[in-house]
Amino acid sequence: MAEEAIYNDSISISDQWEEVCGQLRMEFGQTAFDSWLKPLSVASFDNGVMNIGAPTAFMKNWVITHYSDRIHRIWERKNPEIKQINFIVKSAPAAEESASSFIRSGDSSLLKRVPWTPTPQKMYEVPSVNNDNDALMSKLNPAFTFENFVVGKTNEFAYAAARKVAESKNIPFNPLFLYSGVGLGKTHLMHSIAQFIKKADPTRTVVYISAEQFLYKFVNALRYKDTDAFKEQFRTVDVLMIDDVQFLANKTKTQDEFFYTFNSLIESGKQIVLSADKSPNDLDGIENRLKSRLNSGLVADIMPADFELRLGILHKKAEQLGVTLPNNVAEFLAQKISSSIRELEGSLKRIAAHSQLLSGHEITLDMTQDVLKDMLRSIDRKTTIDEIQKKVAEYFNISVKEMQSSRRARNVARPRQIAMYLAKQLTSRSLPEIGRKFDRDHTTVMHAVRKVEELLIEDASMTESIEALRRALEN
Ligand code: ADP
Ligand code: MG
């Protein structure tokens, strides 16, 4: 990118697109990004109407159903002039390097302010080892190893199961089915298994592929009437891993194919590892016979990371990035960003990039709040005191009226204190402002905050409630 573009206040549409791409890649992961989003390009922008070209009609439709909402939302936020976004079929421009590393995906103010030097960008490129002769294989991220996976209460079972599969010569359970919400480490564990096995025994064929790519390849095989070769490829592997199988929802033909592949691999004693965003029983749009197959091995979930684990992960990632992360900044981030490790990591990378680009700038709390202000504002904006009162009341099964009333019974007073505490933590409202919402003065709020802080140390169930509420409020 030309340097003047960075300093120019009106960042060009193609630069904006790169930023949008960077964000999409962070949200959806490298594999999905490479398969569906990277091939898109801006075809035209005129009078607020943007046309985005996809290389084939199939891809265009896929993007419309799966990604267009997100693309709209991200772009509208970047550029309010955009009134309409259309997706059209247009052959891709000559293979251009995608320049969407995360540095470009930050807010545009970062792009405008910092001088552009190519070196720091390199620092963060994820070197991807593509698996040489294996056409089926998706890219593995070399950083996704067991050693780099921080284990805590919420993921220890999934971690132990994954290790067991990786280390066992025979098959401990089949399939291993991992599930969790987004950004909690499923892909990380799957890559770890694949890399571990490949290293321990290079003769074993391991195939790791996202369900999206499985689907895409299958559709292509159908189109080119090449399904036999397709089937054969999958049926000759030793370990088959398919990530994000929820993508197969309602794709009956692909599910059938998957079902047969699955059965034949299991019958011939090959290991299968799968992941999804829900447990097999809760997956919508998946045929029952497949669901029961998915349930037939070991099902392990990863719960959202608790505060301790989030803190541990931040320190580990900071170490890997080679940055010094002060404790108060780590605690601040772990506190604020609790729903996804991916987001947590994204925020760390942004502040790391910022401090390294402006060399000599150490990471401080002020700087963190400044660099992440858009992100923090959007977390804050979502969380209003009203919303907190509503969610907390719901959680404890009382009414908002009761919460605001003068009743002092424990079953009402405790939720009230929790709501006050969360209001202090999650919004930028002052103590008197919070007090007014509860018909109390600021000293009551202060007392409530202290009380909850005390209970958080003594009482594990308090920690659990606060964590659950925090997540409910973030989503
Ligand atoms: P998922 O596949 O569940 O959506 P990922 O495996 O892609 O999530 O994880 C998102 C990011 O969070 C990755 O960068 C991953 O390395 C990181 N991550 C998640 N859990 C952990 C963990 N326990 N230790 C270290 N990093 C983690
Ligand atoms: Mg994943």
Side-chain angles (χ1 to χ4, degrees):
M1 181 162 79
E3 213 162 85
E4 48 287 12
I6 298 159
Y7 292 104
N8 189 342
D9 262 1
S10 57
I11 289 193
S12 76
I13 287 290
S14 69
D15 289 343
Q16 283 177 18
W17 174 236
E18 277 172 17
E19 289 182 37
V20 173
C21 282
Q23 192 154 343
L24 292 168
R25 181 163 72 163
M26 282 216 290
E27 286 181 21
F28 294 104
Q30 187 75 47
T31 315
F33 179 80
D34 285 347
S35 319
W36 306 105
L37 300 162
K38 200 169 165 189
L40 304 178
S41 59
V42 174
S44 64
F45 178 61
D46 196 13
N47 254 335
V49 179
M50 159 98 53
N51 286 317
I52 296 181
T56 63
F58 175 77
M59 274 195 149
K60 181 195 80 172
N61 293 333
W62 184 270
V63 169
I64 291 176
T65 32
H66 290 87
Y67 301 108
S68 63
D69 279 357
R70 223 22 227 148
I71 295 177
H72 271 117
R73 211 152 322 136
I74 296 174
W75 216 334
E76 270 163 18
R77 227 186 299 140
K78 281 205 189 303
N79 184 349
E81 278 170 30
I82 294 173
K83 296 193 181 62
Q84 194 185 331
I85 299 180
N86 303 321
F87 293 89
I88 59 169
V89 178
K90 174 181 170 270
S91 33
E96 238 174 56
E97 265 239 73
S98 160
S100 47
S101 91
F102 81 89
I103 289 183
R104 315 285 299 275
S105 70
D107 60 351
S108 51
S109 56
L110 178 65
L111 284 181
K112 271 179 257 162
R113 262 182 281 125
V114 299
W116 181 258
T117 48
T119 348
Q121 187 188 1
K122 278 229 173 64
M123 217 154 42
Y124 298 100
E125 263 170 23
V126 180
S128 36
V129 266
N130 203 357
N131 228 290
D132 0 299
N133 39 25
D134 209 338
L136 281 173
M137 190 78 174
S138 297
K139 286 178 179 167
L140 292 176
N141 183 337
F144 287 2
T145 59
F146 287 127
E147 291 71 38
N148 289 341
F149 192 82
V150 184
V151 185
K153 278 202 293 285
T154 53
N155 60 20
E156 62 188 0
F157 184 63
Y159 171 80
R163 269 215 97 107
K164 182 99 191 150
V165 163
E167 287 168 0
S168 302
K169 289 269 175 296
N170 48 6
I171 311 259
F173 18 75
N174 217 359
L176 169 61
F177 188 99
L178 300 169
Y179 76 92
S180 77
V182 292
L184 294 176
K186 298 180 295 292
T187 300
H188 188 133
L189 281 180
M190 291 183 100
H191 286 206
S192 304
I193 298 175
Q195 303 192 99
F196 187 100
I197 297 179
K198 286 199 153 282
K199 207 162 149 205
D201 182 358
T203 61
R204 285 177 89 189
T205 4
V206 183
V207 164
Y208 163 88
I209 188 171
S210 71
E212 262 183 316
Q213 279 194 331
F214 181 85
L215 172 69
Y216 188 49
K217 285 179 200 290
F218 179 61
V219 171
N220 258 335
L222 282 179
R223 191 191 306 154
Y224 297 112
K225 310 210 175 349
D226 201 12
T227 47
D228 287 345
F230 172 84
K231 288 176 186 166
E232 210 35 50
Q233 281 179 314
F234 282 102
R235 288 180 192 177
T236 49
V237 306
D238 293 315
V239 182
L240 175 64
M241 310 195 173
I242 301 192
D243 205 350
D244 289 320
V245 298
Q246 74 273 7
F247 277 111
L248 301 183
N250 304 319
K251 310 285 182 311
T252 337
K253 256 191 169 165
T254 315
Q255 276 184 38
D256 287 346
E257 187 47 43
F258 177 57
F259 184 72
Y260 296 128
T261 306
F262 187 102
N263 286 343
S264 97
L265 285 174
I266 297 240
E267 272 159 28
S268 43
K270 307 296 175 64
Q271 177 75 55
I272 296 181
V273 182
L274 305 165
S275 86
D277 63 352
K278 295 198 188 73
S279 74
N281 292 338
D282 290 337
L283 283 175
D284 295 325
I286 300 284
E287 294 166 41
N288 283 335
R289 58 174 190 170
L290 186 52
K291 274 190 192 172
S292 84
R293 277 303 201 171
L294 300 180
N295 257 323
S296 62
L298 183 79
V299 176
D301 66 341
I302 305 177
M303 302 291 287
D306 55 23
F307 179 74
E308 257 183 337
L309 180 58
R310 296 199 295 272
L311 211 53
I313 292 173
L314 274 173
H315 282 302
K316 177 96 183 177
K317 304 267 172 187
E319 195 187 297
Q320 285 166 1
L321 290 169
V323 296
T324 313
L325 185 68
N327 283 332
N328 65 339
V329 175
E331 278 165 26
F332 173 77
L333 292 175
Q335 176 93 270
K336 279 275 179 192
I337 307 165
S338 60
S339 60
S340 137
I341 305 296
R342 185 175 298 136
E343 257 185 60
L344 196 61
E345 198 179 345
S347 67
L348 173 66
K349 284 180 172 172
R350 267 168 72 179
I351 55 172
H354 199 87
S355 95
Q356 289 180 333
L357 283 169
L358 303 171
S359 58
H361 276 234
E362 50 179 330
I363 296 176
T364 62
L365 193 55
D366 275 354
M367 178 266 235
T368 302
Q369 282 170 326
D370 184 43
V371 174
L372 300 178
K373 61 179 177 297
D374 285 356
M375 185 177 180
L376 295 171
R377 214 182 294 135
S378 85
I379 294 177
D380 286 344
R381 202 177 335 152
K382 271 187 272 167
T383 322
T384 61
I385 298 178
D386 290 339
E387 187 68 10
I388 291 172
Q389 291 182 332
K390 204 172 122 229
K391 281 268 158 58
V392 176
E394 228 171 73
Y395 185 85
F396 290 101
N397 227 345
I398 61 171
S399 69
V400 173
K401 271 226 162 65
E402 279 176 297
M403 180 175 280
Q404 293 163 335
S405 75
S406 57
R407 282 191 56 204
R408 287 163 165 229
R410 177 82 170 273
N411 70 326
V412 179
R414 195 47 49 79
R416 184 184 297 131
Q417 288 174 327
I418 291 178
M420 288 176 174
Y421 169 83
L422 287 169
K424 182 75 194 92
Q425 294 286 326
L426 302 179
T427 73
S428 44
R429 303 277 154 230
S430 66
L431 294 176
E433 279 174 308
I434 296 171
R436 270 199 292 284
K437 284 280 192 180
F438 291 83
D439 224 3
R440 301 289 199 282
D441 68 12
H442 73 279
T443 54
T444 313
V445 182
M446 213 154 67
H447 172 73
V449 172
R450 283 212 200 107
K451 182 75 206 169
V452 174
E453 277 169 355
E454 269 170 42
L455 289 172
L456 278 172
I457 298 171
E458 297 161 7
D459 180 357
S461 73
M462 178 59 93
T463 319
E464 234 166 69
S465 305
I466 295 281
E467 286 288 334
L469 283 162
R470 210 188 263 288
R471 274 193 303 278
L473 286 160
E474 255 179 44
N475 293 324

